[in-house]
Amino acid sequence: QVQLVESGGGSVQAGGSLRLSCAASGYTYSSYCMGWFRQAPGKEREGVAGIDSDGNTIYADSVKGRFTISKDNAKNTLYLQMNSLKPEDTAMYSCAADERPLSSLTYCVGAYCYIPPIFAYWGQGTQVTVSS
């Protein structure tokens, strides 16, 4: 049974940083691709970043250069380092996992990449609030 548990959310002022963690269990962690998603009140869930089993990454344009996704296979943990946070980053952040290749779950149009929320397994989320 796949389980994903997020932590690390909180409140921070604009320009600050947070690091989110996602502890995974119940599957062969290293072979799955993973992603971070967020959903603000009244908005659709959007993909923020994804990472495949080889460590290749993909980012939404809105966070490129500010957020970094990484994983520690030894600890079965996914991370999202968020720097230069903006009030518009305020949302519930969730991690997700899928055994399909990341390339089949994401797409890019020119310089813009999209990570649709179609991953198979999801955590409950952790709230991030950025004040101005």
Side-chain angles (χ1 to χ4, degrees):
Q1 181 180 355
V2 176
Q3 287 193 319
L4 302 170
V5 180
E6 302 93 338
S7 61
S11 297
V12 64
Q13 289 193 326
S17 298
L18 282 174
R19 188 176 81 155
L20 306 183
S21 299
C22 171
S25 63
Y27 66 101
T28 306
Y29 176 81
S30 60
S31 65
Y32 278 44
C33 70
M34 300 193 74
W36 284 101
F37 296 79
R38 66 186 182 187
Q39 188 168 22
K43 294 189 176 181
E44 294 185 352
R45 178 178 281 174
E46 65 168 339
V48 173
I51 188 167
D52 69 12
S53 58
D54 293 326
N56 298 305
T57 58
I58 186 172
Y59 295 93
D61 187 67
S62 58
V63 305
K64 200 173 294 183
R66 300 188 299 123
F67 290 12
T68 302
I69 187 171
S70 63
K71 62 176 184 170
D72 186 333
N73 288 339
K75 296 182 178 180
N76 285 6
T77 301
L78 177 74
Y79 302 100
L80 184 68
Q81 178 66 45
M82 305 186 294
N83 298 329
S84 302
L85 283 162
K86 305 175 181 179
E88 51 264 43
D89 293 320
T90 295
M92 180 70 75
Y93 284 72
S94 301
C95 65
D98 201 295
E99 58 188 329
R100 294 170 289 180
L102 184 64
S103 58
S104 70
L105 302 170
T106 62
Y107 64 97
C108 296
V109 179
Y112 298 92
C113 293
Y114 302 90
I115 311 165
I118 56 174
F119 282 48
Y121 306 102
W122 292 84
Q124 293 297 310
T126 184
Q127 178 68 37
V128 171
T129 302
V130 184
S131 58
S132 57

